[in-house]
Amino acid sequence: MLPNKRSKNLKGLAAIIVASAVTPFAVAQIAAPDVVESAPIATDAFAIGGISPAEGALPSSLWDRSDPQTLEYLLGHLPARPVSPSIGQAMRRTLLSSGTKPSGASPSLGGRKLLALTRAGFVTEARDIASLATSGRSDLTVAEADATINLLTNNLEAACRRGASLNGGREALFWVRLRAFCYARAGELDAFDLTMNLLRERGALKGDDETLLLAVAGAEPKTMPTVTTAIQYAAAKSAGLSLDAGAVANAQGGVLAAIADDTEADKSLRIAALEQLVAMGVADITQLKGLFNEMSFEVAELGAVMDIAQERPADAGIDAMLYQSIGAMNAPEFIRDKAQRISFALSRADSFHRAYSLAHLYADEIASLEGVLVTPEEASRFAVARMAVGDSVGAGRWLTAMIGTNESVAALPEPLGLAFIDRVNLLSNLDPQTAARIARAAGVSLLTDEPAQAAGVSSHEDPSVTARILTAAFDAVAGEKQGQASLAALAASAGKGPENGEVEMVVIGEGLNAAGMPELRRLHEFERAWAATFVSGASTEDATSHDGDGFVPRIKPRVN
């Protein structure tokens, strides 16, 4: 066997050291050669990463010992809309970590990864990985990922060419739908009609699919269709339809990312898209701040922003107006008014994704307000906002401020006392120790004899899917398969069934633990508990009722 380059270099260096012992001038006259390390360059999309360990990447061994078919199944069931910010963060850390693919894996594994990233909203990252991959270009799944990326980045000609250049697999529904779109866009109406009939015969034309594709062909829709997938979004954009927030309320993350990046789109629509992306753990809050700062308002509007905001509570554009007005309140004498206005801005949240985004939007400002005298209502809102950014200690200080100089929660008016209970309940999902300490100081006790209310997720409609995900999770935990454990947790979070997914919730928790991300498990539990208050219609802004799917208080007055 020939010696490798490194061993040659090491032998050469040893010879120089020996010579220098005989000839004193040898070291001065002959420079030691550099030691060269060599490593194979990853060319498959599955092996290529996009983040460093400092950014949360998992170890390069994350796919060791995993079965490629199991990974491919899990990748095919990952969420297109991460159910919580922590799930989006776990997805990012797992799929953007570089690691050697398992032995026997086909190129379609890389395609599955690219598709999962693209659908969830990591479009730029998927495009970068695809551009670096030099193998698997002819794989059908890779081709679908490429076409989807092109559809979402307004490179429609490239998407149509990708479909037209296929050598096989053209009858898969994705490609048939794409052909219908491309025929309609090119004005080839006979071919378009034939393709639409093929889709109808296969029962693959849902109402919105047909409406949007017909719109590209020139038929104006009677009502605004909803947009979910990349093809639907490209069709709506090609047809010149003016989308609103309601039309994309359930859109895949990739569609929301395309809207957020579209400088020609209505700014309120872009704000709605970005708020959802932030609350999916896909977009960074700096993107929302940048968009807010881009918006122009009259001086008179900024001066009357509180009155305007009262009149238009659901207008996301007013969130930007409030943000700019708060940013202008830099003088120390405005600190009390600033606290009041931030609290008011937070109170406008009518959904989890809006509340989460606003909490992160004002995170730095709220942190700088500690020590400022605020009302109990304001302290309550600031406490939840600090929980949203994972600051349980800061949240505890704001909860203490709710009590103020009172000896216990009993001294507060009943609505505020109940609100305090809900906040401590929320905090116990994130940091049980801090929650217990705050409860004791307020004269209440945690109900340790009752189990904590589970922050549920939706179940999978097909029990066989849950069974296979559960099997993959058991295998990952027992075999210390870090990446597989994370994929199982992510797949478990993607259920859409009406029942509370107790099994899925266990898989998520144990999977994140086994993947080396236990902090995300805690965050997920908090986020789901907080989100449940919006689903039930009992926002944490008005915590006077505790029935339905809202919180059940888990603390009670302490008996001395």
Side-chain angles (χ1 to χ4, degrees):
M1 180 180 293
L2 292 175
N4 60 32
K5 190 168 186 178
R6 183 176 181 181
S7 66
K8 288 183 178 179
N9 288 335
L10 290 174
K11 287 180 179 179
L13 181 58
I16 292 170
I17 293 173
V18 172
S20 68
V22 179
T23 308
F25 302 103
V27 174
Q29 294 173 350
I30 303 174
D34 294 332
V35 176
V36 178
E37 295 279 0
S38 62
I41 299 174
T43 57
D44 182 87
F46 189 75
I48 299 171
I51 59 174
S52 66
E55 297 170 300
L58 301 183
S60 59
S61 59
L62 77 164
W63 307 118
D64 285 2
R65 300 176 298 281
S66 291
D67 173 61
Q69 284 71 39
T70 298
L71 297 183
E72 188 160 352
Y73 182 85
L74 294 174
L75 285 167
H77 287 80
L78 295 195
R81 284 177 60 91
V83 71
S84 72
S86 53
I87 291 297
Q89 292 174 41
M91 197 169 186
R92 175 181 178 273
R93 291 176 60 182
T94 304
L95 297 185
L96 294 182
S97 296
S98 59
T100 304
K101 66 179 182 180
S103 176
S106 67
S108 64
L109 201 60
R112 289 288 182 195
K113 169 181 168 176
L114 292 174
L115 267 178
L117 284 168
T118 303
R119 288 171 177 164
F122 299 100
V123 181
T124 300
E125 294 86 345
R127 182 175 57 187
D128 290 344
I129 290 173
S131 69
L132 295 172
T134 57
S135 65
R137 302 295 298 171
S138 61
D139 179 78
L140 275 176
T141 313
V142 174
E144 183 177 344
D146 283 344
T148 304
I149 292 169
N150 286 325
L151 289 169
L152 294 173
T153 54
N154 204 31
N155 196 355
L156 305 183
E157 293 290 349
C160 291
R161 284 196 304 270
R162 196 70 164 107
S165 65
L166 291 177
N167 293 322
R170 291 171 54 84
E171 298 312 308
L173 287 178
F174 172 83
W175 298 112
V176 181
R177 290 192 183 100
L178 179 61
R179 280 203 304 278
F181 165 72
C182 295
Y183 285 142
R185 184 170 173 270
E188 300 179 28
L189 298 185
D190 289 341
F192 170 73
D193 288 338
L194 288 172
T195 308
M196 292 290 282
N197 286 333
L198 176 61
L199 287 169
R200 290 190 189 98
E201 290 170 2
R202 296 176 64 178
L205 263 188
K206 306 300 181 183
D208 290 330
D209 273 336
E210 185 160 17
T211 300
L212 287 162
L213 290 171
L214 287 172
V216 180
E220 185 175 348
K222 294 179 181 179
T223 59
M224 176 61 68
T226 57
V227 172
T228 304
T229 67
I231 292 178
Q232 290 177 339
Y233 171 70
K237 192 171 174 63
S238 295
L241 301 183
S242 297
L243 299 176
D244 57 24
V248 297
N250 296 309
Q252 294 179 353
V255 171
L256 296 174
I259 292 170
D261 289 339
D262 185 359
T263 56
E264 296 179 357
D266 176 74
K267 281 190 168 61
S268 292
L269 180 62
R270 294 178 67 195
I271 289 171
L274 266 174
E275 285 182 344
Q276 291 188 67
L277 288 169
V278 169
M280 292 178 190
V282 174
D284 189 85
I285 194 61
T286 56
Q287 294 175 255
L288 186 59
K289 288 182 178 180
L291 182 55
F292 276 9
N293 286 326
E294 286 177 13
M295 300 182 69
S296 298
F297 301 104
E298 300 291 336
V299 174
E301 288 181 312
L302 292 173
V305 64
M306 296 295 283
D307 293 333
I308 296 173
Q310 293 278 13
E311 296 169 359
R312 295 153 62 181
D315 189 340
I318 305 303
D319 290 346
M321 191 184 296
L322 279 166
Y323 177 71
Q324 288 191 19
S325 72
I326 290 168
M329 302 173 77
N330 294 318
E333 58 268 26
F334 291 141
I335 191 68
R336 178 69 196 94
D337 292 336
K338 186 175 184 178
Q340 183 183 29
R341 189 163 296 188
I342 293 173
S343 174
F344 173 74
L346 294 173
S347 74
R348 285 167 49 82
D350 53 5
S351 62
F352 169 73
H353 66 258
R354 193 176 180 189
Y356 183 87
S357 297
L358 292 174
H360 280 253
L361 190 73
Y362 294 108
D364 293 339
E365 287 85 353
I366 293 171
S368 70
L369 291 175
E370 290 195 14
V372 176
L373 291 177
V374 299
T375 67
E377 292 86 354
E378 292 165 351
S380 172
R381 291 168 187 149
F382 296 159
V384 178
R386 294 315 296 171
M387 293 181 217
V389 299
D391 179 13
S392 59
V393 175
R397 286 196 287 265
W398 285 116
L399 286 173
T400 300
M402 279 187 73
I403 302 296
T405 59
N406 296 307
E407 292 184 358
S408 72
V409 71
L412 293 176
E414 183 178 359
L416 281 175
L418 292 174
F420 178 86
I421 288 173
D422 273 350
R423 283 6 173 224
V424 176
N425 191 10
L426 264 179
L427 184 59
S428 68
N429 287 280
L430 188 65
D431 186 343
Q433 290 75 27
T434 298
R437 177 178 57 79
I438 296 296
R440 285 194 301 271
V444 293
S445 298
L446 292 172
L447 295 183
T448 54
D449 57 334
E450 294 182 9
Q453 178 182 343
V457 296
S458 296
S459 64
H460 285 274
E461 294 175 333
D462 185 350
S464 67
V465 174
T466 298
R468 189 158 178 185
I469 293 172
L470 184 61
T471 300
F474 274 126
D475 175 60
V477 173
E480 297 182 352
K481 303 172 183 179
Q482 196 169 2
Q484 182 176 314
S486 180
L487 291 186
L490 294 170
S493 75
K496 293 181 175 61
E499 299 299 323
N500 188 41
E502 295 181 5
V503 172
E504 283 84 354
M505 199 65 191
V506 172
V507 173
I508 292 170
E510 296 305 316
L512 292 176
N513 273 349
M517 298 180 282
E519 74 285 358
L520 293 185
R521 175 183 185 171
R522 278 289 183 196
L523 278 173
H524 178 68
E525 291 171 356
F526 159 74
E527 291 156 1
R528 298 307 298 161
W530 188 20
T533 68
F534 292 95
V535 173
S536 67
S539 166
T540 54
E541 286 303 315
D542 182 14
T544 58
S545 66
H546 303 276
D547 53 0
D549 294 326
F551 287 122
V552 176
R554 290 193 288 110
I555 57 178
K556 61 183 179 180
R558 187 174 63 210
V559 178
N560 293 324

